Structure formats: structure tokens, C-alpha cells
Amino acid sequence: MVEKPADLYIPPDALEVILETFEGPLDLLLYLIKKHKLDILELSVHTITKQYVSYVELMKDLKLELAAEYLVMAALLTQIKSRLLLPVHKELEEQEADPRVELIKRLQEYEQFKTASENLDKIPRVQRDIFVANALLGEKTVPESLMPNVDMKDILLALGDIMARAKNYTHHHISPETLSTRERMSKILQQLNSATGFVEFTQLFLLNEGRGGVVVTFIAILELIKEQLIECLQSSPTMQIHVQLVR
């Protein structure tokens, strides 16, 4: 499937959660830096530009309209990378400022405000974190073991890997098939219902359907999460993402 089918129905708000994941280009940059354990002061422009552009391309594949500020940041990273590749004369070496300095300063300031905001949000609030209640626990009550929630950013990166692998199957398609989001949602529920336990996130995708099929499956997963029919879990932030039915 090379192009998205004309009769494919995509709910208007199905993918809004993706754009809301990052608060802006600086938030995306900061996330990528932490994800790859980079030092802000020794910022590798080549690495971070490659990752940033990959995210922008993923948004284009999903037919999302990117805010202009994301594209401006992509242009800025490309400019900085180009300036670093140009040779500098020894006479001007001391006068030539590092093109990364201004970006690093902006990232440091943004990180400070972001950290302060997160710390304020962690302060317990009445009627949000603290509730007055009276309850008696049974003597044999065992606390439920909860798995950590999956960050939407990790799901997006996992989707990027699947989209890259799906490219290898695009040329195998001879005739297009009609892809339905609702039908795919039903198949995913059947697959999870017949499974004996968790199902890996990647096993829900059929790579031989190409990029169009991957997009339809991802939209179906978002809709099922939105309707609270399924949930994504990780044993730790670096482990494989798993999916299960909401019990």
C-alpha cells in the first residue's frame, strides 16, 4: 500500500494526542537528548538533528499538520550543522562563536522551567491527590501490583521503527485493499482476547500491509486506548512495550 486509501475514515480527534505529547520543539529536543543520554553542553548536532528530522518525517507520514515552530527548529538545526562543517580560518577561530551556544542556552533555560513546573505539579493537592475517605481493608487483602504506564513518546518511537520496517514490504502489494479503522479495532480486540497474557506492541502490526496498514493499525490502537478498552504497559522505560485488554 503506497498511498492512503481514499475511503479510509480517520476520526478527526484520533491523533490529537500525538501533537499534545510534546509542548514544542524545545520539549522534543530535550526529550531526544535525555533519551540518547547526551550532554547538553557537548551537544552532538549531527545526532540530534537526525533524530529530530526523523520525528518530523513521521508526523508527515501520519498526515499531521506540524506547527511552524517545529519546521523552524529543523531549519535551525540544519543551519548549525552546516556551520560546524565549514572550515574556520585560524585568524578568525577565536572570533568565531560556537553556533550551538544560543541553542544550548535556550535548552538549559527551558529545562529549568520544565523541571520547576514538574516539581510544583508533584506537590500533593487536596481533591486531586488527597481525598478524605473511610474504608476498612480485609485482613487478607493483597495490594494489586501495578505496571508502570507507557509514555506516549516511547510509543511514537516504537511506531517509527515499525514504519521503517514496513517500507521493505511496500513493493510486494499488487492491488490495494480497503482498510477500515473499525474493522482493525475489532481484529486487535480479538487478538488480545485470544492471547494468554500480554501481547507485544509490534505483534499488532502486519508489515506486509505496508505503511498504510501500519498507520491504520496505529490509529485503531489510539482509538481503543481512548475508549479505555486496552492499555499499554512496560516493565521498565527501556523494555519492550506490551498491550493487554483492560480488565
Side-chain angles (χ1 to χ4, degrees), residues 2 27 36 56 73 88 97 101 153 155-157 205 219 241:
V2 179
D27 192 33
H36 297 280
V56 173
M73 180 59 71
V88 180
V101 172
K153 300 170 184 177
I155 295 180
L156 282 176
L157 293 179
F205 295 85
I219 294 173
I241 298 175

Side-chain angles (χ1 to χ4, degrees), residues 32-63:
L32 292 174
I33 290 172
K34 292 182 178 179
K35 180 74 176 179
H36 297 280
K37 299 179 180 179
L38 302 176
D39 185 357
I40 293 182
L41 296 178
E42 298 295 334
L43 185 61
S44 174
V45 176
H46 173 74
T47 302
I48 205 66
T49 301
K50 181 178 179 182
Q51 294 294 328
Y52 186 92
V53 172
S54 296
Y55 175 82
V56 173
E57 290 298 328
L58 176 60
M59 293 300 98
K60 289 182 179 179
D61 289 337
L62 293 177
K63 311 298 182 184

Side-chain angles (χ1 to χ4, degrees), residues 175-221:
S175 59
E177 298 178 359
T178 302
L179 301 176
S180 168
T181 303
R182 284 293 170 184
E183 181 181 351
R184 187 54 52 87
M185 290 169 65
S186 299
K187 289 184 178 180
I188 292 174
L189 290 176
Q190 292 175 2
Q191 182 177 352
L192 294 176
N193 192 43
S194 60
T196 56
F198 297 103
V199 175
E200 289 188 7
F201 179 74
T202 55
Q203 291 181 355
L204 299 178
F205 295 85
L206 300 176
L207 297 183
N208 57 0
E209 291 183 342
R211 296 161 70 86
V214 171
V215 172
V216 172
T217 301
F218 184 64
I219 294 173
I221 292 174

Side-chain angles (χ1 to χ4, degrees), residues 83-94 96:
R83 289 181 59 186
L84 291 174
L85 292 175
L86 293 175
V88 180
H89 294 290
K90 293 183 178 180
E91 301 175 352
L92 303 176
E93 189 171 356
E94 296 182 357
E96 186 73 16

